[in-house]
Structures are given as C-alpha cells and as structure tokens.
Amino acid sequence: MRKLLVLALVGLAAQLVDGALGMAYGLTSSTLLLFAGVAPAAASASVHLAEIGTTLAAGISHWRFGNVDWRVVGRIALPGAIGAFAGATFLSSISTEAAAPWMAAILFTLGAYLLVRFSRPLRANRAAGRLRSRFLAPLGLVAGFVDATGGGGWGPVATPALLVSGRMEPRKVIGSVDTSEFVVAGAASIGFLIGLGSEGFLLPTVAALLVGGLIAAPIAAWLVRIVPAQLLGAVIGGVIVLTNARTLLSAGGVGGSVPVVVYVLLGVAWLVAVGLAVRALRRTRRARATVEAALADGPAPAGEAAAAAPAESGGPAESGVPGESGEFAKPGESAEPAEPAASGESAEPAESRKLAAAVEG
C-alpha cells in the first residue's frame, strides 16, 4: 500500500511538471520506475497506459483554459501515433539487458537537454504564418518514436521545437502537445499490448500513476500560466540526469571511485544550471519591470514605438518578451517598450536601444 501511495504521488508530481513545462511526465515516471528495478519495456508500457487517462484529463483542462490549437493537434498527433507504435514494437522485441542502457541513454540525453534548455533565457521571435504539415509531421514521427522507446520524450522533443518556431504562444504549445499526447499514448499502448501481452503492464502501478495524474491535471493546466518554467525545467532536468547516470554506469561496468567522481561532476553541473536559470529568471523580471516602467511614463507615437523594436528580431513588435514565469508575451500584450514623449519631442534613439537591450536581457 505504501508503494502504491508513493507511485500516486509520483504521478501527481510528474503531471504537475508536465502541465507546467509541456514535458516530463513520461521522463519523470519512467526514470523512477527504472530506478526501482522495473524492466524497461514494462516501465514504458505502464507509463503510456496511465498516460491515456492523464493526457485525456490534461487535454480537456487545457481546452477549457483555451490553451489548445486544434489545427496543430490534428497535424502532429497522427504521425506521433505512428512513431509511438513503431517505437513500442521495437522496444518490446529486444531483451531487458539490451533495453535498459538504451532507455537510460535516451532519458539521460533528454534530461541533459532540459538542463541546457532552461539554463538560458527563453526567447522566441513571433514569425508570420502558420506551422505547416511538412514541419509538424516529421516532428511528430520522431517525437513519437523517442517517446515509446525512451519511456518519455514526446514533450521534450515536440515542445521546444514548436517554441523555437515562434509561431505559437507558449501556453498553446504546451496545451496542444499535451492534448495530442493522448493519441500517442494510445498508439504506444497498443504496440506494447501486441508485443508484450497484457502481462507486460503493471496494472497496480498504472492505477497509482493514473490517480495521481488525474488529480494534478486540472491544477497543471492552471499552473502553466504562473509557474516559473525556467527554474522548474532546470531542476527536473538534473533529477533525470542523475538517476539515469546510475543505470548507464552499471551497464558499462564502471566501478571503484569513478561513479563517485561522475556523480559529483553531474551534481556540480546541475547546480550551475539551476544558478543560471535563476539568473535568467531574474533578468527576465527586471526587463519586464523596465518595460512596465517605460509604459507607465506614457505612450509614444506609433512611429517611435516601431523604431524601438530590436533590429535583430525581424518580427513584429509584440514578439519575444518573457513574462514573470519565464515565458513570452501573449498576443494583445505589449512586448516592446514605448518611449515616452517629453514636451512633444522625439525620444532619443540611444534610449530606445537601451530599453530594447534590457528586454532582450
């Protein structure tokens, strides 16, 4: 009973993280199951079966909060399902001994990616036009395959790619990725059912993860608007890296004092990444305060406001300003500071550049 309660708490925490970042439910859950000694295929199968329920609840919650772009969901979910089915079939066909280091390596790499991704300022340039199927379809295919073979990876692959494109609001990226994962999780579960049979699913584990995830899903859809994703992403990345390093070192037969040295180095890297994330978050908040102070002084004429946009962005003035949680400004919010007009005179170009530089961090 105590073990099931712990697993339910794991599912709850993993869903909160996933709802805030648009990633890491599968990574967090699979990592902890592997750490507990569960076979890789069984861990991935159980997590994906639980995700059918959690992603359905998350999708409904994100839809109610207006966080879903159904056009993107429709174009990324089907290729993702194909990739997930193929990945589940592949993982089911290899031995546990061969699968453990493979899965740990994927999780370790994705955890390291989270560390690097969230230790730097989160920026985007809002580009014109919509995301096309020729971009979304290959992205879904790769993300689905990685997700099934690694026990997680749909969010870490799909979410950053959509954010970097700059053509969607961050909250809609997270909501659309979470919603489309329902189809991906279902396809992966079918693949595992064919490859492993019903005995490949740890049903008590599935139930515990599902209960925790269902409780957290509505809360997570709300938290996506306020949680500091910058810091949370770096913290979760470090946990994933350290826990999967153990499996990789064991698979490589590394002994003696080497594992201790490796853990110390990884721990130091983790602390550095968290420190950088905190610094980036503070710079983001200071930049936002600068913008708000400039706006409070009074609006500038349209020509001056346009001149204040950073030349390097190449996009419209509202793109790429981080908010309090490390995300970017949403449509309708002012993303570039308007220079105050004093006594009818034009604002100084140097002052415009200073404000723009403060925003960029």
Side-chain angles (χ1 to χ4, degrees):
M1 184 63 185
R2 181 180 299 177
K3 181 179 179 181
L4 293 179
L5 179 60
V6 171
L7 288 173
L9 292 175
V10 168
L12 188 147
Q15 185 60 45
L16 287 176
V17 171
D18 189 87
L21 298 180
M23 63 184 83
Y25 178 89
L27 288 181
T28 306
S29 303
S30 297
T31 293
L32 294 176
L33 290 179
L34 286 179
F35 188 76
V38 177
S44 184
S46 301
V47 167
H48 280 92
L49 187 58
E51 279 185 322
I52 294 178
T54 60
T55 53
L56 177 60
I60 294 173
S61 300
H62 279 297
W63 168 66
R64 294 185 64 183
F65 279 97
N67 298 337
V68 179
D69 185 331
W70 290 105
R71 178 181 175 276
V72 172
V73 171
R75 284 164 172 75
I76 199 173
L78 182 57
I82 295 172
F85 181 84
T89 304
F90 169 76
L91 188 63
S92 301
S93 65
I94 61 179
S95 66
T96 299
E97 292 75 15
W102 165 272
M103 191 167 170
I106 292 177
L107 293 171
F108 182 93
T109 302
L110 293 174
Y113 175 80
L114 291 183
L115 275 179
V116 174
R117 175 72 180 88
F118 288 98
S119 64
R120 300 179 299 171
L122 304 178
R123 295 173 180 159
N125 293 322
R126 190 80 64 211
R130 293 181 172 183
L131 290 167
R132 299 185 178 182
S133 297
R134 64 186 182 188
F135 168 75
L136 294 173
L139 174 63
L141 190 67
V142 172
F145 184 84
V146 172
D147 184 71
T149 54
W154 175 255
V157 174
T159 300
L162 294 178
L163 283 175
V164 170
S165 73
R167 302 188 182 191
M168 294 177 66
E169 300 173 56
R171 67 185 181 90
K172 287 202 170 184
V173 170
I174 293 172
S176 301
V177 169
D178 273 3
T179 302
S180 59
E181 193 171 9
F182 169 73
V183 180
V184 174
S189 297
I190 293 173
F192 283 120
L193 181 62
I194 294 174
L196 299 175
S198 59
E199 64 274 9
F201 297 93
L202 307 177
L203 295 182
T205 298
V206 171
L209 292 174
L210 180 59
V211 169
L214 290 177
I215 293 173
I219 304 172
W222 171 72
L223 283 178
V224 69
R225 296 170 175 265
I226 62 173
V227 72
Q230 187 91 54
L231 181 59
L232 185 59
V235 170
I236 295 301
V239 172
I240 293 170
V241 165
L242 284 175
T243 50
N244 285 284
R246 171 178 170 270
T247 303
L248 290 175
L249 291 172
S250 299
V254 179
S257 61
V258 175
V260 176
V261 175
V262 172
Y263 291 140
V264 170
L265 292 176
L266 291 176
V268 171
W270 185 16
L271 292 177
V272 170
V274 171
L276 291 173
V278 170
R279 187 179 71 169
L281 184 59
R282 288 177 176 174
R283 291 175 63 186
T284 293
R285 290 175 172 173
R286 285 198 300 267
R288 186 176 181 85
T290 301
V291 173
E292 291 174 348
L295 291 174
D297 289 340
E304 294 176 17
E312 65 182 16
S313 69
E318 71 270 14
S319 62
V321 176
E324 286 292 331
S325 65
E327 300 293 352
F328 308 106
K330 302 177 179 62
E333 295 180 347
S334 177
E336 293 296 335
E339 296 292 312
S343 304
E345 295 180 0
S346 300
E348 291 293 333
E351 187 66 21
S352 297
R353 288 194 297 269
K354 181 188 297 184
L355 277 174
V359 172
E360 287 297 312

